[in-house]
Amino acid sequence: MKSKNSYNLASIQDQLILNLNKELVKKLRVRFRNLTHDELKICALVKSNLDDAKIKHLLSLSDNTLKAFYNKISKKLKIPLKTQLHNYLTKI
């Protein structure tokens, strides 16, 4: 079982990530209500120009899990896979 402190640290990390691109996250929440909390975090990190290796490390994700997130996000935003995700997010 996780300690109370580890939950607090995770919550703080979540807020810091979402605040990287606060305006983007706000716009995405309004336009795409079906994006999950984790998907919003990934969008914020992609928009911040973090590469896949850094995103995986920061969020403790495997290659397959990150790819799955990219696929889900791309489908929800109705854009071609991850290659276009950064470009799309830049325009929002």
Side-chain angles (χ1 to χ4, degrees):
M1 188 152 119
K2 289 188 176 183
S3 71
K4 187 176 180 181
N5 286 339
S6 63
Y7 282 118
N8 288 338
L9 289 176
S11 177
I12 290 168
Q13 180 189 35
D14 282 0
Q15 289 309 307
L16 288 172
I17 291 169
L18 293 174
N19 285 333
L20 283 172
N21 284 294
K22 192 183 281 190
E23 289 304 311
L24 170 73
V25 171
K26 249 192 246 184
K27 290 176 184 178
L28 289 173
R29 280 187 173 140
V30 170
R31 290 172 70 179
F32 303 99
R33 295 181 181 269
N34 59 343
L35 287 172
T36 67
H37 183 75
D38 288 336
E39 291 166 347
L40 288 167
K41 289 191 311 187
I42 290 171
C43 288
L45 294 171
V46 168
K47 173 87 183 244
S48 297
N49 292 316
L50 267 71
D51 62 29
D52 289 356
K54 289 177 184 165
I55 294 172
K56 289 186 295 189
H57 177 76
L58 190 61
L59 300 179
S60 301
L61 300 175
S62 70
D63 285 334
N64 290 337
T65 302
L66 186 58
K67 286 178 187 174
F69 270 115
Y70 286 149
N71 287 332
K72 288 177 188 176
I73 293 167
S74 296
K75 284 180 185 176
K76 290 178 181 182
L77 301 182
K78 297 181 178 156
I79 58 172
L81 296 175
K82 190 257 177 188
T83 55
Q84 301 299 317
L85 184 58
H86 183 269
N87 293 338
Y88 182 85
L89 294 174
T90 302
K91 294 175 186 172
I92 291 182

